[in-house]
């Protein structure tokens, strides 16, 4: 039998320690990567349908606050219609160079940003491009409002510049558009104050911006 004159010697301790460290760092990185939500992409919304819905007087007759939702996403077309009704472009630049929107704003400042919270993440509504720009991946619906908002298909967070004196009024017009759209589509809607540093922190807003109100919209529970 051949006996090797010497067994392979273990790696010196000075070599082993960095290797172990590298493996641990690799494991840590993998665990972190796995716990991160999947990245989200911009969403190009379909052209809003502006011929659908109840006549205005009937929508007004149906408008109400309902604070419960079924956990089911809205079809992309309905989401597009909702956001257009809320604060979409109804007069493009060839009609009104600085754009016309479905809600008025003081001095046409178009100052309110709509942060759109869906189950897969948070997006900013870019009205002119009719697009949703991703700002945060992951389901934060349970962290930004109330128990019922956890299930709502969509929650619109109304974000303004901290120094904007007209933001409250301008948000109100948009909120009523959303209520009327929801009434017209048989959806539930709920407008509420957005307060608390924890909720604000979830959205990771820049220092000069703050969230004033939110409005959840979704299917009624069965
Ligand atoms: C500026 C404003 C703030 C509101 N804040 C809240 C709120 O923090 N929580 C809530 O449950 N509802 C809130 N609401 C909804 C009102 O309570 C609701 O509109 C009111 O009870 C009348 O009900 P209706 O919308 O069905 O007519 C708010 C409404 C407005 C206009």
């Amino acid at each position: 039998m051949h006996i090797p004159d010497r067994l392979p010697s273990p790696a010196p301790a000075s070599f082993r320690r960095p290797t172990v460290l590298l493996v641990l760092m690799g494991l840590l990185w993998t665990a972190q990567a796995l716990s991160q939500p999947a990245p989200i992409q911009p969403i190009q919304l379909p052209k809003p349908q502006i011929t659908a819905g109840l006549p205005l007087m009937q929508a007004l007759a149906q408008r109400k606050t309902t604070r419960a939702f079924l956990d089911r996403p809205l079809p992309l077309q309905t989401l597009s219609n909702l956001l257009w009704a809320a604060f979409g472009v109804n007069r493009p630049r060839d009609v009104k160079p600085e754009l016309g929107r479905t809600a008025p704003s003081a001095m046409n400042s178009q100052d309110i940003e709509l942060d759109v919270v869906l189950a897969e993440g948070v997006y900013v509504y870019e009205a002119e491009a009719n697009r949703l720009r991703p700002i945060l991946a992951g389901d934060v619906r349970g962290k930004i409002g109330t128990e019922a908002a956890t299930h709502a298909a969509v929650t619109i967070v109304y974000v303004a510049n901290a120094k904007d004196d007209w933001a409250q009024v301008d948000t109100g017009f948009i909120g009523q558009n959303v209520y009327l759209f929801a009434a017209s589509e048989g959806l539930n809607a709920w407008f509420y104050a957005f307060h608390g540093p924890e909720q604000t922190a979830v959205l990771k807003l820049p220092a000069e911006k703050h969230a004033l109100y939110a409005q959840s919209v979704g299917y009624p529970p069965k």
Side-chain angles (χ1 to χ4, degrees):
M1 184 173 69
H2 170 74
I3 301 173
D5 43 60
R6 137 169 118 86
L7 290 169
S9 58
S14 58
F15 172 76
R16 272 196 320 251
R17 245 181 261 123
T19 312
V20 170
L21 212 65
L22 276 177
V23 170
L24 281 177
M25 279 167 65
L27 285 174
L28 207 68
W29 183 85
T30 311
Q32 251 180 355
L34 287 176
S35 68
Q36 295 294 318
I40 50 173
Q41 304 301 319
I43 300 176
Q44 185 60 56
L45 296 166
K47 197 166 180 267
Q49 298 165 319
I50 56 170
T51 51
L54 288 183
L56 177 63
M57 296 304 257
Q58 285 175 37
L60 282 164
Q62 301 287 332
R63 190 219 63 86
K64 61 180 182 297
T65 300
T66 314
R67 299 175 175 81
F69 304 93
L70 186 69
D71 201 333
R72 183 200 292 168
L74 298 181
L76 209 53
Q77 184 66 62
T78 309
L79 182 63
S80 173
N81 296 353
L82 163 68
L83 293 170
W84 183 83
F87 202 30
V89 172
N90 67 356
R91 285 147 297 158
R93 291 192 190 275
D94 53 342
V95 178
K96 188 173 168 81
E98 64 282 19
L99 287 183
R101 311 282 290 262
T102 56
S105 59
M107 294 171 288
N108 196 21
S109 55
Q110 307 185 18
D111 48 345
I112 307 300
E113 175 181 295
L114 273 55
D115 285 9
V116 179
V117 182
L118 304 177
E120 61 269 29
V122 185
Y123 303 79
V124 172
Y125 175 49
E126 295 183 335
E128 192 174 15
N130 196 33
R131 186 171 56 202
L132 293 175
R133 171 166 52 85
I135 51 170
L136 201 64
D139 190 355
V140 296
R141 290 178 302 163
K143 299 180 189 160
I144 49 128
T146 54
E147 178 53 28
T150 305
H151 308 294
V154 48
T155 293
I156 302 170
V157 181
Y158 298 111
V159 174
N161 259 315
K163 291 189 187 137
D164 183 353
D165 291 337
W166 301 101
Q168 302 265 348
V169 179
D170 292 348
T171 303
F173 285 109
I174 303 171
Q176 178 71 348
N177 282 353
V178 169
Y179 267 130
L180 289 175
F181 176 82
S184 165
E185 289 291 315
L187 297 169
N188 284 358
W190 174 17
F191 185 96
Y192 47 92
F194 194 92
H195 37 194
E198 309 89 50
Q199 284 97 322
T200 305
V202 168
L203 294 176
K204 300 191 174 137
L205 295 175
E208 73 279 8
K209 292 196 167 175
H210 67 159
L212 294 173
Y213 295 96
Q215 195 164 17
S216 298
V217 179
Y219 294 104
K222 283 199 171 132

